Amino acid sequence: QVQLVESGGGLVKPGGSLRLSCAASGFSFSDHYMSWIRQAPGKGLEWISYISSSSGTFFYADSVEGRFTISRDNAKNSLYLQMNSLTAEDTAVYYCVRTARRLDYWGQGTLVAVSS
Amino acid sequence: ELVLTQSPGTLSLSPGERATLSCRASQSLSINYLGWYQQKPGQAPRLLIYGASSRATGIPDRFSASGSGTDFTLTISRLEPEDFAVYYCQQSGNSPYSFGQGTKLEIK
């Protein structure tokens, strides 16, 4: 069965960095676009980034452009999100999501808290 | 930028009743790129509907959806206790991809 398991979240100070990972299994990872979607506490969903299957196409929301970098390693069935210059507004649960015309599989999420 | 507006913000109904949730796009959207998701507290969202009207695998047939252009609707024919949750519409046809703000379906 399809599984997406995020890791790397935690508490970080403003201006700090964090790298999230997502381990994928149960499907052909290299055939699928992948996304990071986040949800601030008590708020709605925000699509912040996606990457194509071959890493040739990227998308970043304005809110993270220039600070976050999405990447993948198809040999390791893994998705990453490097997050720099973090602010309190980046505090959220970050979900790794398999992406086609639909978002059909979601990880359980990893919490990132930015606070001094 | 394509904006999705969901209404109502909160819907209070009783089990057994019919729920109708609306999602309006600020510009015309291909039906291929409209989805609906259900989220329960402490859980990740779950895909309910894709392509504006196709049920995802394992979704009960009391969930149905329709629409085209700028107006889309999710209908739950007879509410079960487990259906009370937050529902989001989502589009991936126009960059930046986006979600509606959500409709909370609560027990009356």
Side-chain angles (χ1 to χ4, degrees):
Chain A
Q1 73 281 21
V2 173
Q3 279 199 307
L4 298 167
V5 180
E6 302 95 337
S7 60
L11 178 62
V12 61
K13 288 182 167 52
S17 298
L18 215 52
R19 189 194 195 208
L20 305 183
S21 299
C22 171
S25 61
F27 67 102
S28 180
F29 180 74
S30 60
D31 287 342
H32 290 267
Y33 279 48
M34 296 294 295
S35 295
W36 289 100
I37 291 169
R38 71 182 180 183
Q39 186 170 38
K43 302 298 184 182
L45 299 165
E46 181 186 16
W47 202 327
I48 59 170
S49 185
Y50 72 70
I51 185 170
S52 65
S53 53
S54 62
S55 302
T57 301
F58 304 88
F59 160 79
Y60 295 100
D62 287 346
S63 58
V64 305
E65 178 90 54
R67 300 187 301 122
F68 290 12
T69 302
I70 191 171
S71 62
R72 65 191 295 162
D73 185 335
N74 287 343
K76 294 183 177 179
N77 291 337
S78 293
L79 178 72
Y80 306 101
L81 186 68
Q82 177 66 43
M83 303 186 297
N84 299 330
S85 303
L86 287 162
T87 73
E89 286 66 45
D90 297 314
T91 294
V93 174
Y94 286 73
Y95 294 103
C96 165
V97 186
R98 193 175 85 165
T99 302
R101 289 181 177 179
R102 53 193 181 268
L103 306 170
D104 56 358
Y105 288 96
W106 297 62
Q108 83 290 350
T110 187
L111 176 63
V112 173
V114 184
S115 175
S116 55
Chain B
E1 178 177 336
L2 194 153
V3 176
L4 297 175
T5 302
Q6 293 187 240
S7 60
T10 302
L11 185 57
S12 300
L13 294 170
S14 301
E17 290 192 293
R18 180 186 187 92
T20 302
L21 287 66
S22 174
C23 175
R24 177 160 290 178
S26 60
Q27 56 189 274
S28 186
L29 175 64
S30 167
I31 64 170
N32 292 326
Y33 301 104
L34 194 286
W36 289 92
Y37 299 79
Q38 177 193 66
Q39 187 178 33
K40 297 180 181 179
Q43 297 184 16
R46 175 175 73 144
L47 174 67
L48 294 177
I49 300 288
Y50 64 94
S53 61
S54 298
R55 274 189 303 276
T57 303
I59 302 303
D61 60 7
R62 64 180 181 273
F63 290 90
S64 64
S66 63
S68 64
T70 60
D71 290 302
F72 300 89
T73 301
L74 174 69
T75 301
I76 310 171
S77 59
R78 295 172 310 278
L79 286 166
E80 297 287 342
E82 62 268 26
D83 298 335
F84 292 91
V86 179
Y87 292 83
Y88 294 95
C89 59
Q90 165 264 326
Q91 68 85 18
S92 50
N94 292 62
S95 184
Y97 300 160
S98 53
F99 292 88
Q101 81 281 15
T103 290
K104 182 180 181 181
L105 179 55
E106 64 177 24
I107 298 177
K108 188 174 182 180

